Amino acid sequence: MKILVINSGSSSIKYQLLDMATESVLVTGLVERIGEAGGVLTARTHPGTGVEKRIRRENAVPDHNAGMKLLIAQLSDRQDGVIRDAAEIEAVGHRVVHGGEYFHEPALISEEVIQAISANVPLAPLHNPANLDGIRVARELFPQVPQVAVFDTAFHQSMPPHAFLYALPYELYEQDRIRRYGFHGTSHKFVAGECARLLGRPLAACNLITIHLGNGCSMTAVENGRSVETSLGMTPLEGLIMGTRCGDIDPALHAILHRSRGLDIEEIDALLNRESGLKGVCGMNDMRDIHAARQQGNKLAQLAFDMFVHRIRKYIGSYFAVLGRVDGLVFTAGIGENDHEVREATLAGLENLGIVLDREANAGKPGAWLRISAPESRVEVLVVRTNEELEIARQTMEVLGQAPIETTGPVWSGAVS
Ligand code: ADP
């Protein structure tokens, strides 16, 4: 079964075509600058294989419809394409950022589902409309093909009220749906599933802490395979320190910044989302630059690193208390997958929690996964490369009643795969 995965943004469409018989990626690509001057499509066919080919097409892309047509033309191009025609695409899976409280699972797209996604626009005013653009255009171009919406928030809908509610007047929840929703759910679900597979146990029997450290950062406590607590909140600002976002702060800071600096609410919002986090502390938001600066003795870079790590450790401790028993801890996303220094500093001295790092394994090169706990560690610690597109394609198949391919049982034989 060939599934097209679409992640439609306001001025871009990311896409992947997967052959789910082997779970292999046929094409991964991006249409950018939709509605702007100088639209461009970049793609790689058969990425990571010996026959990988890079494609770049500059083309005016006035709207999402034109963007989608351009990518379909690329997929079925006589010379560079991977399919004969668009009829080979059997399903489309769409990433949708906010499913609110309505969507606990992926949904087969219908008019009713589109209405429900539209109803959640106030919760994600920048993302959901762009996701809807992609859905509308794909339905026009593939009217016969089943389409599925996969939500970033859905995995966290299993959180109990005592975890997802803020201690605010209850009517703010009842009337305005103010609560913690969490994000990165597709990534947390994927790495939790991979971790369970590597542990050789059903996900429903695993208690895990999943740590997604990219530009945006979040952690999730997974109890018996279900999210019971997560660090991002009503918006993707709460919790861990991120590239440019502050994470947890005293909410009274809004009033203080207003009174002391005369900032209005939009300015404060921009400050906390775009000028804070690692960037706010040391002026850099890419962890690689921060390491380079630390090595040259830059004190603020060191401080930003220490703060970043400290916040993750605080959350690890609290998630141990939430879960009681932890079987596995998983690092993922740009920093989580690649940065052994962050992982080492994060896990230092946690032996009493049953976490013992194998420093040599931790310094190894990550493949699809890497086991970095020592044999005596009670908690298995893994690095798992996240794959949100594959997770969306798997969930799309599930909604359509198709079984995923058989994945092998425990693969503990080698540290790196
Ligand atoms: P996004 O949240 O945009 O998907 P990614 O998961 O790709 O982000 O993570 C991007 C971040 O990962 C970069 O800003 C950088 O800080 C970090 N990163 C990427 N590669 C490395 C690396 N080799 N070492 C340390 N950090 C890295």
Side-chain angles (χ1 to χ4, degrees), residues 209 211 219 309-310 312-313 316-317 320 329-331 340-359 362 372-374 377 379-383:
I209 298 176
I211 308 177
M219 286 175 59
V309 165
H310 175 74
I312 303 168
R313 289 166 63 85
I316 289 177
F320 260 81
L329 197 138
V330 190
F331 287 93
H340 64 95
E341 286 182 76
V342 165
R343 294 194 301 257
E344 184 171 335
T346 297
L347 301 182
L350 298 187
E351 291 77 11
N352 281 338
L353 293 179
I355 298 175
V356 187
L357 184 72
D358 178 337
R359 291 183 61 199
N362 183 46
I372 60 170
S373 43
S377 186
V379 178
E380 295 285 2
V381 187
L382 298 173
V383 177

Side-chain angles (χ1 to χ4, degrees), residues 14 184 212-217 243 245 278 285-288 291 332-340 386 388:
K14 276 192 202 150
H184 296 150
H212 177 112
L213 306 175
N215 278 316
C217 300
R245 294 177 240 161
L278 296 169
N285 58 298
D286 190 307
M287 198 50 92
R288 290 163 289 196
H291 288 314
T332 194
I335 300 172
E337 291 165 25
N338 297 301
D339 196 323
H340 64 95
T386 195
E388 289 165 275

Side-chain angles (χ1 to χ4, degrees), residues 1-8 13-21 24-31 41-44 64-65 67-76 82-83 85-96 109 134-135 137-143 145-150 388-397 400:
M1 184 177 208
K2 293 195 178 85
I3 297 186
L4 178 62
V5 174
I6 296 290
N7 180 355
S8 174
I13 304 173
K14 276 192 202 150
Y15 65 102
Q16 260 191 26
L17 184 68
L18 294 106
D19 183 349
M20 294 306 283
S24 52
V25 179
L26 301 175
V27 175
T28 179
L30 172 68
V31 181
L41 176 149
T42 46
R44 288 183 296 143
H64 283 72
N65 189 299
M68 197 75 78
K69 281 186 177 148
L70 187 64
L71 75 86
I72 294 167
Q74 182 273 304
L75 292 172
S76 50
V82 292
I83 51 177
D85 65 65
E88 281 185 47
I89 297 169
E90 288 164 89
V92 183
H94 294 268
R95 176 189 184 221
V96 180
I109 294 173
I135 289 173
V137 167
R139 288 185 97 213
E140 272 165 41
L141 297 177
F142 301 101
V145 175
Q147 314 221 4
V148 172
V150 178
E388 289 165 275
E389 290 80 9
L390 177 57
E391 182 61 35
I392 290 171
R394 283 181 180 169
Q395 292 191 31
T396 299
M397 282 183 77
L400 300 177

Side-chain angles (χ1 to χ4, degrees), residues 220-238:
T220 297
V222 177
E223 183 175 51
N224 298 323
R226 291 153 61 89
S227 167
V228 292
E229 180 59 280
T230 197
S231 62
L232 290 172
M234 169 105 190
T235 76
L237 187 58
E238 195 180 341

Side-chain angles (χ1 to χ4, degrees), residues 38 62 73 104 114 151 156 218 281 319 378:
H104 295 221
I114 290 178
F151 301 90
H156 303 302
S218 66
V281 178
Y319 285 3
R378 281 202 309 279

Side-chain angles (χ1 to χ4, degrees), residues 119-136:
N120 285 321
V121 164
L123 293 171
L126 298 180
H127 292 100
N128 273 23
N131 301 154
L132 279 168
D133 282 341
I135 289 173
R136 289 207 183 92

